[in-house]
mmCIF file of all heavy atoms in Angstrom:
data_model
loop_
_atom_site.group_PDB
_atom_site.id
_atom_site.type_symbol
_atom_site.label_atom_id
_atom_site.label_comp_id
_atom_site.label_asym_id
_atom_site.label_seq_id
_atom_site.Cartn_x
_atom_site.Cartn_y
_atom_site.Cartn_z
ATOM 1 N N ALA A 127 10.764 -14.751 28.138
ATOM 2 C CA ALA A 127 11.141 -13.633 29.010
ATOM 3 C C ALA A 127 12.201 -12.711 28.410
ATOM 4 O O ALA A 127 12.449 -11.651 28.962
ATOM 5 C CB ALA A 127 11.672 -14.214 30.333
ATOM 6 N N TYR A 128 12.808 -13.123 27.310
ATOM 7 C CA TYR A 128 13.989 -12.426 26.817
ATOM 8 C C TYR A 128 13.716 -10.965 26.441
ATOM 9 O O TYR A 128 14.389 -10.046 26.940
ATOM 10 C CB TYR A 128 14.611 -13.162 25.623
ATOM 11 C CG TYR A 128 15.790 -12.440 25.040
ATOM 12 C CD1 TYR A 128 16.983 -12.294 25.799
ATOM 13 C CD2 TYR A 128 15.749 -11.871 23.783
ATOM 14 C CE1 TYR A 128 18.073 -11.628 25.322
ATOM 15 C CE2 TYR A 128 16.885 -11.210 23.267
ATOM 16 C CZ TYR A 128 18.022 -11.122 24.023
ATOM 17 O OH TYR A 128 19.113 -10.434 23.537
ATOM 18 N N TYR A 129 12.754 -10.712 25.599
ATOM 19 C CA TYR A 129 12.493 -9.315 25.170
ATOM 20 C C TYR A 129 12.034 -8.447 26.345
ATOM 21 O O TYR A 129 12.388 -7.292 26.416
ATOM 22 C CB TYR A 129 11.481 -9.272 24.014
ATOM 23 C CG TYR A 129 12.012 -9.779 22.692
ATOM 24 C CD1 TYR A 129 11.190 -10.469 21.823
ATOM 25 C CD2 TYR A 129 13.330 -9.519 22.309
ATOM 26 C CE1 TYR A 129 11.662 -10.924 20.590
ATOM 27 C CE2 TYR A 129 13.808 -9.981 21.091
ATOM 28 C CZ TYR A 129 12.940 -10.682 20.230
ATOM 29 O OH TYR A 129 13.431 -11.121 19.000
ATOM 30 N N GLU A 130 11.282 -9.073 27.214
ATOM 31 C CA GLU A 130 10.845 -8.326 28.426
ATOM 32 C C GLU A 130 12.068 -7.917 29.258
ATOM 33 O O GLU A 130 12.174 -6.755 29.724
ATOM 34 C CB GLU A 130 9.907 -9.176 29.259
ATOM 35 C CG GLU A 130 9.517 -8.521 30.567
ATOM 36 C CD GLU A 130 8.711 -9.492 31.451
ATOM 37 O OE1 GLU A 130 8.508 -10.665 31.096
ATOM 38 O OE2 GLU A 130 8.265 -9.030 32.542
ATOM 39 N N ARG A 131 12.968 -8.842 29.448
ATOM 40 C CA ARG A 131 14.162 -8.562 30.244
ATOM 41 C C ARG A 131 15.024 -7.469 29.603
ATOM 42 O O ARG A 131 15.547 -6.543 30.247
ATOM 43 C CB ARG A 131 14.978 -9.862 30.427
ATOM 44 C CG ARG A 131 16.059 -9.742 31.482
ATOM 45 C CD ARG A 131 16.664 -11.122 31.757
ATOM 46 N NE ARG A 131 17.661 -11.094 32.828
ATOM 47 C CZ ARG A 131 17.363 -11.150 34.116
ATOM 48 N NH1 ARG A 131 16.100 -11.294 34.501
ATOM 49 N NH2 ARG A 131 18.315 -11.108 35.031
ATOM 50 N N MET A 132 15.212 -7.563 28.269
ATOM 51 C CA MET A 132 15.959 -6.559 27.529
ATOM 52 C C MET A 132 15.285 -5.206 27.619
ATOM 53 O O MET A 132 15.940 -4.178 27.796
ATOM 54 C CB MET A 132 16.087 -6.965 26.067
ATOM 55 C CG MET A 132 17.006 -8.181 25.832
ATOM 56 S SD MET A 132 18.727 -7.770 25.876
ATOM 57 C CE MET A 132 18.938 -7.152 24.238
ATOM 58 N N THR A 133 13.966 -5.187 27.513
ATOM 59 C CA THR A 133 13.238 -3.922 27.552
ATOM 60 C C THR A 133 13.372 -3.254 28.928
ATOM 61 O O THR A 133 13.621 -2.046 29.024
ATOM 62 C CB THR A 133 11.757 -4.159 27.242
ATOM 63 O OG1 THR A 133 11.644 -4.694 25.907
ATOM 64 C CG2 THR A 133 10.962 -2.892 27.314
ATOM 65 N N ARG A 134 13.251 -4.084 29.962
ATOM 66 C CA ARG A 134 13.388 -3.492 31.308
ATOM 67 C C ARG A 134 14.810 -3.015 31.590
ATOM 68 O O ARG A 134 15.023 -2.007 32.290
ATOM 69 C CB ARG A 134 12.984 -4.552 32.370
ATOM 70 C CG ARG A 134 11.503 -4.910 32.343
ATOM 71 C CD ARG A 134 11.118 -5.743 33.560
ATOM 72 N NE ARG A 134 9.716 -6.171 33.461
ATOM 73 C CZ ARG A 134 8.668 -5.423 33.766
ATOM 74 N NH1 ARG A 134 8.852 -4.171 34.179
ATOM 75 N NH2 ARG A 134 7.425 -5.885 33.662
ATOM 76 N N ALA A 135 15.799 -3.692 31.006
ATOM 77 C CA ALA A 135 17.184 -3.294 31.274
ATOM 78 C C ALA A 135 17.633 -2.121 30.407
ATOM 79 O O ALA A 135 18.408 -1.276 30.915
ATOM 80 C CB ALA A 135 18.113 -4.513 31.001
ATOM 81 N N LEU A 136 17.172 -2.026 29.173
ATOM 82 C CA LEU A 136 17.691 -1.008 28.260
ATOM 83 C C LEU A 136 16.716 0.157 28.029
ATOM 84 O O LEU A 136 17.162 1.218 27.625
ATOM 85 C CB LEU A 136 17.987 -1.676 26.896
ATOM 86 C CG LEU A 136 19.055 -2.764 26.900
ATOM 87 C CD1 LEU A 136 19.200 -3.402 25.533
ATOM 88 C CD2 LEU A 136 20.382 -2.245 27.399
ATOM 89 N N GLY A 137 15.439 -0.080 28.257
ATOM 90 C CA GLY A 137 14.456 0.985 27.993
ATOM 91 C C GLY A 137 14.357 1.977 29.142
ATOM 92 O O GLY A 137 14.676 1.660 30.286
ATOM 93 N N LYS A 138 13.914 3.173 28.797
ATOM 94 C CA LYS A 138 13.666 4.187 29.811
ATOM 95 C C LYS A 138 12.439 4.971 29.431
ATOM 96 O O LYS A 138 11.970 4.921 28.260
ATOM 97 C CB LYS A 138 14.861 5.135 29.960
ATOM 98 C CG LYS A 138 15.137 6.029 28.760
ATOM 99 C CD LYS A 138 16.332 6.948 29.044
ATOM 100 C CE LYS A 138 16.470 8.043 27.996
ATOM 101 N NZ LYS A 138 16.700 7.532 26.639
ATOM 102 N N PRO A 139 11.798 5.677 30.414
ATOM 103 C CA PRO A 139 10.614 6.421 30.069
ATOM 104 C C PRO A 139 10.845 7.352 28.866
ATOM 105 O O PRO A 139 11.855 8.013 28.778
ATOM 106 C CB PRO A 139 10.338 7.231 31.324
ATOM 107 C CG PRO A 139 10.940 6.386 32.436
ATOM 108 C CD PRO A 139 12.158 5.775 31.831
ATOM 109 N N GLY A 140 9.881 7.376 27.965
ATOM 110 C CA GLY A 140 9.989 8.191 26.775
ATOM 111 C C GLY A 140 10.578 7.523 25.575
ATOM 112 O O GLY A 140 10.470 8.010 24.453
ATOM 113 N N ASP A 141 11.185 6.342 25.781
ATOM 114 C CA ASP A 141 11.688 5.545 24.631
ATOM 115 C C ASP A 141 10.503 4.950 23.876
ATOM 116 O O ASP A 141 9.374 4.940 24.379
ATOM 117 C CB ASP A 141 12.623 4.429 25.124
ATOM 118 C CG ASP A 141 13.973 4.925 25.502
ATOM 119 O OD1 ASP A 141 14.368 6.061 25.168
ATOM 120 O OD2 ASP A 141 14.751 4.132 26.104
ATOM 121 N N ILE A 142 10.831 4.385 22.734
ATOM 122 C CA ILE A 142 9.843 3.709 21.883
ATOM 123 C C ILE A 142 10.179 2.230 21.827
ATOM 124 O O ILE A 142 11.358 1.853 21.678
ATOM 125 C CB ILE A 142 9.858 4.270 20.435
ATOM 126 C CG1 ILE A 142 9.595 5.761 20.401
ATOM 127 C CG2 ILE A 142 8.916 3.465 19.517
ATOM 128 C CD1 ILE A 142 8.100 6.136 20.593
ATOM 129 N N LEU A 143 9.162 1.382 21.959
ATOM 130 C CA LEU A 143 9.323 -0.048 21.663
ATOM 131 C C LEU A 143 8.377 -0.373 20.491
ATOM 132 O O LEU A 143 7.187 -0.155 20.577
ATOM 133 C CB LEU A 143 9.015 -0.943 22.851
ATOM 134 C CG LEU A 143 9.082 -2.429 22.514
ATOM 135 C CD1 LEU A 143 10.529 -2.859 22.239
ATOM 136 C CD2 LEU A 143 8.475 -3.287 23.636
#
Side-chain angles (χ1 to χ4, degrees):
Y128 179 65
Y129 287 145
E130 175 187 3
R131 193 171 184 84
M132 291 281 280
T133 299
R134 292 191 186 279
L136 299 176
K138 68 178 190 298
D141 283 348
I142 300 285
L143 177 68

